[in-house]
Amino acid sequence: MDNIAGKKSALSWAVHLSVLVLVVLWLLPTAGLFISSFRTADQIAATGWWKALFASEQNLALRTGAPDSARQAGGLYVIEGNLLEGENPDARIATWGTTPRQLDEFKAGETGTTRDGASLTLKADGSYRMESPSPFEGKRGERLFAVAKLPPKFTLANYARVLFSGNATDSMAKAFFNTLTVTIPATIIPILIAAYAAYALAWMNFPGRALLIAVVVALLVVPLQLALIPLLKLHLAIGIGKGYLGVWLAHTGFGLPMAIYLLRNYMAGLPRDIIENARVDGASEFEIFRKIILPLSFPALASFAIFQFLWTWNDLLVAKVFLIDATGKTTVMTAQIVELMGTRGGNWEILATAAFVSIAVPLIVFFAMQKYLVRGLLAGSVK
Amino acid sequence: MNPALQAVITIAIGVGGCIGYFYLANLILDKVLCPARGPNIGRNINRANMIRPWLFLFPAIFALGLYLAYPVVETIRLSLTHRLPGGGYEWAGLSNYRQMMHEPKFWEAMRNNMLWLIVVPAAATAFGLLAAQLTDRIRWGSLAKSLIFMPMAISFVGAAVIWKLVYDARPAGSEQIGILNAVYMALGGDTPQQWLTVPFWNNFFLMIVLIWIQTGFAMVILSAALRGIPDETVEAAIVDGANPFQIFFRIKVPQIRNTIVVVWTTITILVLKIFDIVFAMTNGQWETQVLANYMYDKLFRANDWGVGSASAMVIMILVLPILVWNVRNARREMR
């Protein structure tokens, strides 16, 4: 399109740049939390997450081998070894000195003189060689101070703690299963109910059909806040109380208008011939529905399934009202994260990891089934 | 019992019961009530065909009636009554509404909701339109779209945690770990800000979270609409010497106006019900209260069902115009 007028748009580079800026802006917040979930509490508190990807500079206090480890070679007393072995094997020394005030006295690889007059060569990888014509004295080795570059360091310890530790406040394992228990029936039941209703509304003739469709459209936007107290009262009165059954029914009720609307629109667009032919061939409505409509409607069913899954997985309000009782045994991940924000507001390593455990599943579903999600959005909104 | 096992069993019962209903109800209708054989076969088949739609619709109508229609009526009733201490209710007229009108917190929630209502749909639609237009023209556009769309999958609570880290503030002098404060200090700010506690402006910091989530939605729908624009109109404009901005604002935007309105209203409905973000990030403190959270406070913290229901009715009344408009559109389409 840009070439129609005979020249490439001069705006092209600006477009690439602005899209890049947009994408970075939209990714940054999530990236921050994601990276933080792989850092230790100390790392998170010490530096911003954006510095985690790069090597960080740190001041190290080191000590050479003790005088009794010296050996004689060619008339000199020599101590050799590696200062970074053990604690910081991946670090690289940039500069070093013999007092904490002069960290940049020598560069890595240079030979310097210690306070005792010995000559010392310290390489970037931490290996050193200290030579002296006279024997080394004292019990302990020479103190050295260095500026070292530490490579990025990540840990899975947070995930181990949040998923497997069994720690009552931090563990998300139980909440994860609870969320799953809420989500799966709350996704499948409305699809089943809505598919039958949508078929009736799309392909069966009966009085009041148009009115019913209008009612469904109206109920699409009724705020579920209205339903909280009346339904909680109802659940308590008929003995369901707070529990899984209640939360499934609630999610089913709240998800139905969207489900019926989406599925009816899709089913109404299916070719009339197929259905009429099947009827002529003597198939019952139940058979037509099961063998023709359901398989053909798969894309619409998948779209709604994804919506409902994301919505129930991410829901906080419905779970808080209809599911979670005083014992907290049935808490879901969203509710537990809100709780963690209160009790562990400063512990970003726990909070970030817990949040990511709950975000991970929807993200996987999102990237795997994006096609259907987009299709559903378009069917549900564009008129 | 192992939670995983318990989950599997409950899932099997819930889903199985649902499939069982449809299967058995059809079986009974065809084999017992109106069997398609015997002397009355013609009458029976007609009868079965009259009953069957309602068989298919019954669970849906029942659930919709019970979970959405009945609560509307019941909420109206509750908003007009007082709960008596021993149980039971007494007629209260409009006193719940009057009490609500005298609470400054309610007006704070109203003001904030109006702010949300103006800012969020406008910003999300504008960013969405921008992203749709820009990504449609480049080769890696679909990847860019995926990434901008991604926050849609993240829960409001997850988003709240994500953005709390962005807004985090450390005492002056120590290294900032919240990126906003880090940027602010790098640009010469004097002291790190607790962004969520700055009255009035903190509302905007909460809104950014929802804009961040909803831009992808707007982008996906508007991008489909942009692609549906006939090429001839754009070509004609290019031949006439229109520059890219003129093409966008004068040719493309007017042609997708209806879609823009749909996106706008969809986000508006969402904004009216916004709860999780405020609940998780500030819980309405520092003058960030919104209607849904105010209602939650009244219902479950103050245990005042009358005022709580009254505030729920306010949300319903605000949604009502969109509801009517939607129904009229849907009916026009069906004709």
Side-chain angles (χ1 to χ4, degrees):
Chain A
M1 193 71 92
D2 293 328
N3 295 323
I4 287 171
K7 62 181 171 91
K8 195 163 164 49
S9 168
L11 284 172
S12 171
W13 64 271
V15 169
H16 281 277
L17 200 67
S18 357
V19 174
L20 194 68
V21 169
L22 263 181
V23 168
V24 168
L25 271 180
W26 252 251
L27 266 187
L28 264 186
T30 320
L33 199 74
F34 186 60
I35 292 170
S36 297
S37 74
F38 291 104
R39 304 180 80 202
T40 64
D42 293 341
Q43 284 175 317
I44 293 176
T47 53
W49 57 265
W50 52 93
K51 292 183 181 164
L53 296 175
F54 309 104
S56 61
E57 279 201 343
Q58 216 165 319
N59 299 340
L60 302 175
L62 306 161
R63 195 181 281 279
T64 65
D68 56 11
S69 67
R71 63 189 169 79
Q72 277 183 297
L76 293 169
Y77 293 87
V78 178
I79 300 177
E80 278 180 316
N82 192 317
L83 291 173
L84 297 175
E85 252 169 17
E87 281 193 21
N88 299 301
D90 299 327
R92 310 291 296 175
I93 287 172
T95 60
W96 59 280
T98 50
T99 62
R101 269 163 289 128
Q102 278 183 294
L103 289 167
D104 53 354
E105 200 176 351
F106 308 108
K107 285 204 180 73
E110 281 182 351
T111 304
T113 318
T114 66
R115 275 172 298 177
D116 300 340
S119 78
L120 192 148
T121 314
L122 178 57
K123 291 191 182 142
D125 62 1
S127 60
Y128 68 95
R129 181 186 170 91
M130 187 157 63
E131 303 174 332
S132 167
S134 54
F136 294 104
E137 284 169 8
K139 280 199 177 137
R140 308 178 70 185
E142 187 75 23
R143 291 230 290 161
L144 293 175
F145 303 90
V147 177
K149 265 199 179 330
L150 270 74
K153 207 165 150 191
F154 298 103
T155 171
L156 286 171
N158 300 330
Y159 284 91
R161 178 158 175 201
V162 163
L163 287 175
F164 305 116
S165 73
N167 179 318
T169 48
D170 295 344
S171 173
M172 295 287 281
K174 198 179 62 182
F176 186 92
F177 280 115
N178 291 344
T179 301
L180 211 59
T181 313
V182 170
T183 305
I184 292 177
T187 306
I188 298 174
I189 296 173
I191 292 183
L192 280 170
I193 295 178
Y196 282 93
Y199 175 62
L201 289 175
W203 288 105
M204 290 170 148
N205 273 317
F206 58 91
R209 195 173 76 154
L211 182 71
L212 267 180
I213 296 173
V215 170
V216 169
V217 173
L219 291 180
L220 267 178
V221 297
V222 169
L224 67 87
Q225 271 88 356
L226 255 70
L228 300 181
I229 281 291
L231 289 181
L232 186 59
K233 243 172 51 163
L234 183 82
H235 281 179
L236 294 175
I238 61 176
I240 295 177
K242 283 188 162 199
Y244 287 116
L245 186 59
V247 83
W248 292 340
L249 291 174
H251 274 310
T252 301
F254 301 147
L256 265 183
M258 188 59 168
I260 297 176
Y261 180 74
L262 269 183
L263 294 177
R264 193 209 81 92
N265 279 1
Y266 189 88
M267 287 178 186
L270 292 175
R272 177 173 285 275
D273 297 354
I274 302 179
I275 292 152
E276 308 245 295
N277 281 346
R279 276 183 187 153
V280 169
D281 288 347
S284 73
E285 296 283 342
F286 194 58
E287 279 170 334
I288 295 175
F289 176 75
R290 253 183 339 129
K291 295 193 177 146
I292 300 175
I293 302 283
L294 267 193
L296 283 180
S297 308
F298 178 76
L301 295 173
S303 304
F304 174 74
I306 297 166
F307 273 128
Q308 182 75 359
F309 175 81
L310 291 179
W311 155 243
T312 48
W313 186 279
N314 290 340
D315 158 77
L316 171 69
L317 185 57
V318 177
K320 269 192 97 73
V321 175
F322 293 108
L323 176 64
I324 302 166
D325 53 20
T327 65
K329 274 188 185 145
T330 49
T331 189
V332 292
M333 282 194 286
T334 45
Q336 186 159 1
I337 290 169
V338 173
E339 203 117 296
L340 280 177
M341 285 173 98
T343 55
R344 292 194 167 270
N347 296 39
W348 279 109
E349 75 286 359
I350 296 297
L351 209 49
T353 314
F356 248 92
V357 168
S358 102
I359 292 171
V361 175
L363 280 188
I364 292 167
V365 170
F366 172 83
F367 281 114
M369 322 250 321
Q370 203 179 7
K371 188 176 74 181
Y372 293 111
L373 186 67
V374 170
R375 224 182 263 180
L377 277 183
L378 294 177
S381 307
V382 177
K383 283 165 194 155
Chain B
M1 196 165 27
N2 187 320
L5 185 68
Q6 198 180 352
V8 170
I9 292 174
T10 41
I11 288 166
I13 294 174
V15 175
C18 210
I19 295 175
Y21 161 79
F22 284 110
Y23 185 76
L24 288 178
N26 259 284
L27 204 67
I28 291 169
L29 183 67
D30 287 335
K31 296 280 179 290
V32 183
L33 287 181
C34 310
R37 60 186 140 72
N40 297 327
I41 176 162
R43 196 198 69 188
N44 274 358
I45 288 179
N46 279 342
R47 232 184 237 176
N49 280 345
M50 270 171 61
I51 297 173
R52 204 182 321 271
W54 301 104
L55 214 62
F56 278 26
L57 283 166
F58 169 73
I61 293 178
F62 179 75
L64 286 178
L66 190 63
Y67 278 83
L68 287 169
Y70 156 75
V72 175
V73 180
E74 177 70 3
T75 302
I76 295 176
R77 190 183 73 84
L78 284 175
S79 74
L80 299 174
T81 54
H82 282 310
R83 203 148 55 120
L84 295 175
Y89 301 88
E90 70 173 6
W91 179 253
L94 291 174
S95 69
N96 286 323
Y97 290 89
R98 263 199 300 277
Q99 186 191 337
M100 186 171 73
M101 298 290 171
H102 284 110
E103 281 188 29
K105 264 285 174 193
F106 169 75
W107 289 110
E108 180 194 315
M110 277 298 263
R111 180 203 69 177
N112 290 341
N113 253 82
M114 291 304 138
L115 272 179
W116 280 76
L117 215 53
I118 296 164
V119 175
V120 175
T125 311
F127 277 121
L129 193 57
L130 182 75
Q133 168 68 12
L134 292 178
T135 52
D136 270 349
R137 314 169 101 220
I138 58 177
R139 216 178 300 139
W140 53 289
S142 60
L143 174 70
K145 263 190 208 144
S146 275
L147 295 176
I148 294 177
F149 193 27
M150 184 191 69
M152 265 296 271
I154 296 175
S155 59
F156 288 159
V157 173
V161 178
I162 287 174
W163 283 89
K164 266 212 147 170
L165 181 60
V166 171
Y167 296 146
D168 190 88
R170 295 280 145 135
S174 57
E175 177 131 350
Q176 295 301 316
I177 67 165
I179 197 164
L180 190 61
N181 267 316
V183 170
Y184 178 72
M185 295 304 278
L187 292 178
D190 39 356
T191 52
Q193 299 290 312
Q194 296 276 358
W195 302 105
L196 291 175
T197 62
V198 187
F200 190 71
W201 298 109
N202 50 9
N203 284 303
F204 294 90
F205 291 112
L206 294 178
M207 288 177 210
I208 287 173
V209 181
L210 191 59
I211 295 170
W212 177 73
I213 292 174
Q214 286 300 314
T215 294
F217 162 77
M219 174 194 68
V220 164
I221 292 184
L222 293 171
S223 140
L226 282 176
R227 257 179 275 138
I229 291 176
D231 285 346
E232 297 84 46
T233 57
V234 179
E235 281 162 23
I238 293 175
V239 170
D240 286 349
N243 68 36
F245 291 100
Q246 286 172 324
I247 293 174
F248 182 66
F249 286 109
R250 301 261 180 91
I251 309 291
K252 288 186 169 176
V253 170
Q255 293 194 65
I256 59 167
R257 190 186 292 140
N258 282 344
T259 313
I260 293 178
V261 172
V262 169
V263 170
W264 196 292
T265 48
T266 309
I267 301 177
T268 301
I269 294 169
L270 189 80
V271 166
L272 281 170
K273 298 187 280 189
I274 189 67
F275 166 75
D276 310 35
I277 293 176
V278 177
F279 181 78
M281 290 185 85
T282 62
N283 200 7
Q285 298 175 82
W286 310 295
E287 296 176 28
T288 56
Q289 189 66 293
V290 290
L291 281 173
N293 195 52
Y294 172 83
M295 190 206 78
Y296 187 88
D297 266 353
K298 285 288 164 201
L299 288 183
F300 298 105
R301 297 219 179 86
N303 246 324
D304 188 341
W305 289 8
V307 175
S309 299
S311 53
M313 284 314 295
V314 172
I315 301 178
M316 180 72 207
I317 290 164
L318 291 173
V319 171
L320 212 54
I322 299 174
L323 186 150
V324 172
W325 187 74
N326 267 2
V327 171
R328 282 178 54 181
N329 269 0
R331 292 193 70 102
R332 188 161 4 129
E333 227 168 274
M334 253 168 336
R335 267 179 221 129

